[in-house]
């Protein structure tokens, strides 16, 4: 009995010991970071000299400080500041206070009192007193910027700035003016009258320093006034006269800031009347400011000249006679105030002088202009654009060209007058200036018509060696109006010379002639017999259809014939045959024509559909509405209906280029739904159970993968996609991920992988709910709608039960209607070079590199600098290597809206091969699924992190691959 009792006591004791050991083993340790303030305090206490303390502070400045540690660090720094006598250490501490006050998540109002006290108690005889003051004022500026709603702090900081404006140091005065500009006079709690009074007071305080003896302070005062304007405070008109006086300042920074301030006031009070100095005349303020800024285009500093020229382009409210004066260096008569004959006779009578009769006609009325008459614009401001376009600095010339473009766009009459000046800039010595001039003329092409002499100067640029210049000129000719048929003939001759000299410009020239013909059908008509070499009595030889020049002539004629029904009567028989051939081979350049005695050349579509857009649009809408009745059909019928509709939409996109984007977009979405039906997991298409067997897993897995690819194409390959479409696309992608989870569950053994996949899928559902919460009411009876109702159950279910629920939800979910955007375009790319037609391999020595020129045209690509990549694959060599190249931003050109040009080089290298093999080149579109996600109001700043934005999630091929033969040769020894 005693032994039994002893055994029970021993067992109980063992249990207690084990429980204590388990508690000790499971006890969690709290890991805390070492205090930054304590470490800094220890380091500063260890310092034996100011040099050591400065070294510790420099080391501390390189380390990041968390927001919760900032207050403690600031207290340590302030404590050491009060005890430190060395000015360099005090300066470094003041600098650190300013940096720490800008830390995100830290409220700096707790250090404001200490910073103000230091300002008041700092010795006036310190060597670096001004630098310390500047750093402390910068700290106060950071405090006021981070606490814009605290009006008491704002007013106190403004008072501190006003108090130190009389400091002898220019740096302190600069910082005080900056503080006034950023914090002054935007109180929300005061009355309207008091606010206006306070605003004028601050402006008066700042305006008093426009005449400061230091030019840096004068510049800071003007910038502070501009800062008030940027913050929404309306500047007073009296500042205008002060700013005008600063235009004659000796320092370019002051003059540059004054020009900008004059422009701001002229935009605020354009119709105000201001007097002309030393006269009784008055003028509109915007006209007077325009004359003042025109005068600064002849300034001695090229920086001021550039800024003045840029600002001229945005002054669209100026009177027309002031605009025209900028193109003539001589003062026009309508800008000179002349005395009337009555005023001159009155002056003569009052002087008491009469005609003596000794001179013939001395009493005749004098119509000559008096040199002392009042000028409405300064003579130095005349011909401002002439001076700008002839400036020695190319930056000024570019700014003048851009300003001319902006003013010409708003004034058709001014566009006609400045045309000669823009055409002359085509001969500038700097390529950038020539290119900008061409782009400028293209923007105002709707308001101008080129004369023959102007066209001759423009066409001379086609001999330029720069491809960018030539292609920009082709784009200009596409939208240019020519006045005579001789001009059309001259343009054609010069373009054919360009084609002979630069064969790589073929596609660009053909496109140029297409638009040139369609814009001038009546001018092309009398040239047709000469261009086609036809004769009224004799048959002429049939031209060679392989000649690019002959094709160029036909493109011009056929596009002109589209709106000129009498032109086909001038065609010969072989011209009709050539038209049929070109209509099939170059359908994007040759339009459909109604030829006499022949049917309309088109592709199995009625004439009404080609000539009108409404039937095509109706056909598209009817096709999509027919598909929306899927839930009433059995699976086989739904599958056939989708296949027919997809085929019709694809054909419609081929026939109607303006509907190609929306047709392809809709067909892609229907193709995803078709894949779901084929797998047997569609919505209410018969409500027939279709479990996934192992033999169907490959089909389902391939379908899920293809749906994912198609949804990424819908989201990133089309421009104009709105948030309504993005929600439907993500919903379809979520169904594909559910299908992948079901396939994995049926083919995977073990529960460990499924737990992770189920958790990841539920995170995707939660992600969808958070980012598209505003659109959930529009997704009723959908897959996500049913899924969110069962979300609490899914969170606690096992993987097998989750899979069953997902399969049921997919089978019961409704087919969502895809709303079509108003304008949608599909991104595409065409590789011009390499052409891939040569059988001669590109030879180079193994181990070295060879440059492969890549030239491609991009259509409707958003942000090509960050999304377009070049992929090079060795398709025949056994190693199967692939290389992705990231083109530089400078490799992209923007010849027109929605179009980009990629001209780059790809460097290839490999070991020696026994024979030539092919390299496949294609363009890829990189995407990141976080790029189109709407911003969340609860996320910091409403932005996605920069790391997510710049990362590449995947790529989509959007060009046809081109194969090039290369041959690495062994190195010679």
């Amino acid at each position: 009995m005693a032994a039994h009792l002893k055994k029970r006591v021993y067992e109980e004791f063992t249990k207690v010991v084990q429980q204590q050991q388990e508690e000790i083993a499971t006890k969690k340790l709290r890991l805390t970071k070492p205090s930054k303030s304590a470490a800094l305090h220890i380091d500063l206490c260890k310092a034996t000299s100011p040099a050591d303390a400065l070294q510790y502070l420099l080391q501390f400045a390189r380390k990041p400080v968390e927001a919760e540690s900032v207050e403690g660090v600031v207290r340590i720094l302030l404590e050491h500041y009060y005890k430190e006598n060395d000015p360099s250490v005090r300066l470094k501490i003041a600098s650190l206070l300013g940096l720490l006050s800008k830390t995100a998540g830290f409220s700096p109002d707790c250090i404001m009192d200490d910073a103000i006290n230091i300002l008041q108690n700092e010795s006036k005889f310190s060597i670096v007193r001004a630098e310390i003051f500047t750093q402390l004022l910068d700290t106060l500026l950071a405090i006021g910027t981070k606490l814009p709603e605290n009006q008491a702090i704002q007013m106190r900081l403004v008072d501190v700035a006003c108090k130190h404006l009389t400091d002898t140091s220019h740096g302190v005065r600069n910082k005080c003016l900056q503080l006034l500009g950023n914090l002054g006079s935007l109180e929300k709690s005061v009355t309207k009258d008091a606010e206006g009074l306070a605003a004028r007071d601050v402006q008066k305080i700042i305006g008093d320093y426009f005449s400061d003896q230091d030019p840096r302070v004068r510049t800071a005062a003007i910038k502070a006034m501009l800062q008030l304007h940027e913050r929404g405070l309306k500047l007073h008109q009296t500042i205008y006269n002060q700013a005008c006086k600063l235009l004659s300042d000796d320092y370019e920074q002051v003059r540059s800031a004054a020009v900008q301030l004059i422009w701001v006031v002229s935009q605020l009070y354009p119709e105000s009347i201001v007097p002309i100095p030393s006269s009784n005349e008055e003028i509109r303020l915007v006209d007077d400011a325009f004359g003042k800024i025109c005068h600064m285009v002849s300034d001695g500093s090229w920086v001021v000249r550039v800024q003045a020229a840029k600002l001229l382009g945005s002054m669209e409210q100026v009177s027309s006679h002031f605009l025209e004066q900028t193109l003539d260096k001589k003062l026009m008569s309508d800008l000179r105030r002349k005395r009337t004959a009555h005023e001159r006779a009155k002056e003569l009578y009052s002087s008491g002088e009469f005609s003596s009769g000794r001179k013939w006609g001395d009493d005749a009325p004098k119509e000559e202009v008096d040199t002392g008459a009042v000028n409405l614009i300064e003579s130095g401001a005349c011909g401002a654009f002439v001076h700008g376009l002839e400036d020695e600095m190319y930056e000024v010339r570019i700014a003048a060209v851009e300003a001319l473009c902006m003013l010409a766009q708003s004034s058709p009459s001014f566009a006609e007058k400045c045309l000669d000046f823009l055409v002359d800039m085509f001969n500038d010595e700097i390529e950038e200036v020539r290119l900008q001039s061409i782009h400028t003329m293209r923007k105002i092409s709707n308001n101008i018509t080129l004369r023959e002499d102007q066209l001759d100067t423009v066409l001379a640029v086609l001999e330029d060696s720069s491809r960018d210049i030539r292609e920009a000129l082709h784009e200009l000719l596409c939208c240019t109006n020519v006045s005579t048929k001789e001009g059309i003939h001259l343009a054609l001759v010069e373009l054919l010379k360009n084609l002979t000299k630069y064969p790589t410009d073929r596609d660009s020239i053909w496109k140029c002639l297409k638009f040139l013909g369609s814009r001038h059908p009546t001018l092309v008509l009398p040239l047709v017999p000469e261009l086609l070499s036809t004769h009224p009595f004799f048959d002429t030889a049939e031209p060679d259809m392989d000649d690019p020049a002959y094709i160029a002539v036909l493109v011009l004629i056929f596009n002109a014939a589209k709106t000129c029904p009498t032109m086909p009567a001038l065609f010969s028989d072989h011209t009709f045959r050539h038209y049929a051939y070109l209509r099939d081979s170059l359908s994007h350049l040759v339009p459909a024509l109604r030829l006499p005695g022949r049917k309309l050349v088109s592709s199995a579509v009625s004439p009404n559909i080609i000539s009108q857009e409404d039937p095509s649009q109706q056909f598209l809408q009817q096709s999509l509405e027919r598909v929306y009745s899927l839930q009433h059909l059995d699976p086989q019928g739904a599958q056939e209906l989708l296949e027919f509709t997809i085929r019709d939409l694809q054909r419609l996109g081929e026939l109607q280029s303006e509907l190609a984007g929306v047709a392809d977009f809709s067909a892609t979405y229907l193709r995803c739904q078709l894949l779901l039906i084929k797998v047997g997991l569609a919505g209410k298409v018969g409500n027939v159970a279709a479990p996934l067997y192992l033999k169907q897993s490959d089909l389902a897995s391939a379908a899920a993968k293809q749906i994912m690819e198609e949804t990424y194409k819908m989201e990133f390959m089309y421009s104009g996609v709105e948030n309504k479409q993005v929600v439907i696309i993500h919903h379809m992608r979520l169904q594909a991920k559910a299908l992948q989870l079901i396939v994995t569950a049926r083919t995977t053994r073990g529960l460990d992988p499924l737990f992770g996949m189920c958790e990841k899928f539920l995170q995707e559902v939660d992600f969808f709910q958070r980012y598209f919460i505003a659109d959930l009411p529009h997704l009723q009876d959908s897959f996500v709608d049913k899924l969110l109702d069962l979300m609490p159950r899914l969170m606690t279910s096992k993987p097998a039960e989750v899979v069953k629920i997902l399969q049921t939800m997919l089978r019961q979910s409704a087919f969502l209607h895809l709303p079509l955007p108003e304008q949608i375009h599909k991104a595409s790319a065409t590789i011009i070079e390499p052409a891939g037609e040569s059988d001669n391999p590109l030879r180079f020595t193994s181990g070295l590199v060879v440059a492969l020129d890549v030239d491609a045209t991009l259509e409707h690509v958003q942000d090509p600098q960050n999304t377009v990549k070049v992929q090079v694959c060795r398709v025949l060599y056994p190693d199967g290597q692939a290389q992705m190249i990231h083109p530089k931003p400078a490799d992209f050109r923007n010849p027109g809206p929605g179009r980009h040009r990629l001209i780059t080089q790809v460097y290839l290298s490999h070991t020696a091969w026994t024979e030539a093999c092919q390299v496949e080149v294609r363009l890829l579109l990189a995407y990141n699924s976080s790029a189109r996600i709407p911003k969340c109001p609860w996320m910091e700043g409403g932005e996605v992190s920069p790391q997510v934005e710049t990362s590449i999630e995947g790529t989509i091929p959007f060009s046809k691959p081109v194969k090039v033969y290369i041959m690495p040769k062994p190195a010679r020894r």
Side-chain angles (χ1 to χ4, degrees), residues 464-498:
D464 200 295
S465 59
S466 171
R467 174 184 290 181
D468 294 338
I469 295 290
R470 297 196 306 272
E471 291 185 353
L473 194 66
H474 297 159
E475 294 285 341
L476 170 62
L477 292 175
C478 287
C479 50
T480 298
N481 299 318
V482 181
S483 56
T484 62
K485 66 182 182 64
E486 288 78 11
I488 293 291
H489 188 269
L490 177 63
L492 177 62
V493 171
E494 294 298 328
L495 286 170
L496 294 181
K497 289 181 181 178
N498 180 14

Side-chain angles (χ1 to χ4, degrees), residues 219 222 226 246-247 251-262 296 299 301 303-305 307-308 311:
T219 305
I222 300 173
L226 293 172
L246 294 174
L247 293 178
Y251 293 86
E252 68 174 47
Q253 293 89 350
V254 179
R255 298 196 301 274
S256 177
V259 168
Q260 191 173 357
L261 182 59
I262 288 176
M296 301 307 293
D299 191 83
S301 170
V303 177
V304 179
R305 298 199 300 271
Q307 186 170 20
L311 292 176

Side-chain angles (χ1 to χ4, degrees), residues 35 88 127 142 179 184 217 221 239 358 488 496 511 574 616 618 620 661 683 724 776 785 791 827 889 904:
S35 173
S88 59
I127 300 176
L179 198 148
V217 178
I239 297 173
R358 294 180 180 179
I488 293 291
L496 294 181
K511 179 188 175 184
H574 61 261
S616 303
Q618 292 176 3
L620 176 65
K724 295 182 292 185
L776 291 180
D785 186 46
M791 198 64 178
T904 186

Side-chain angles (χ1 to χ4, degrees), residues 1-12:
M1 188 69 180
H4 180 68
L5 183 61
K6 187 182 293 184
K7 184 178 180 181
R8 286 192 60 186
V9 171
Y10 178 75
E11 290 176 353
E12 293 291 337

Side-chain angles (χ1 to χ4, degrees), residues 901-921:
R901 187 75 177 270
L902 172 62
I903 301 176
T904 186
Q905 285 187 329
V906 175
Y907 296 99
L908 305 177
S909 180
H910 209 277
T911 56
W913 294 354
T914 56
E915 61 181 11
C917 293
Q918 286 181 329
V919 170
E920 189 177 88
V921 180

Side-chain angles (χ1 to χ4, degrees), residues 769-819:
Q769 180 185 12
R770 287 189 293 112
Y771 281 97
F772 300 110
I773 188 170
D775 301 282
L776 291 180
H778 305 292
L779 304 179
Q780 293 182 0
D781 204 27
S782 64
F783 171 70
V784 171
D785 186 46
K786 296 178 179 296
L787 209 58
L788 292 176
D789 292 339
L790 297 176
M791 198 64 178
R793 178 183 171 188
L794 291 172
M795 297 293 292
T796 58
S797 300
K798 295 181 179 179
E801 188 176 355
V802 171
V803 170
K804 290 181 181 179
I805 295 174
L806 290 180
Q807 188 169 343
T808 305
M809 292 300 100
L810 280 173
R811 194 180 301 123
Q812 295 178 352
S813 60
F815 174 62
L816 291 180
H817 296 191
L818 179 66

Side-chain angles (χ1 to χ4, degrees), residues 63 75 84 97 137 182 221 231 256 325 400 404 572 575 624 628 635 723 753 758 787 801 857 881 918 938 950 957:
K63 303 174 183 178
R75 290 300 165 199
E84 183 62 52
L97 290 175
L137 287 171
N182 283 274
R231 293 171 56 221
S256 177
Q325 181 61 69
L404 270 178
S572 57
T575 305
L624 296 178
Y628 293 150
N723 189 53
C758 290
L787 209 58
E801 188 176 355
T857 303
Q881 294 183 19
Q918 286 181 329
W938 56 83
T950 55

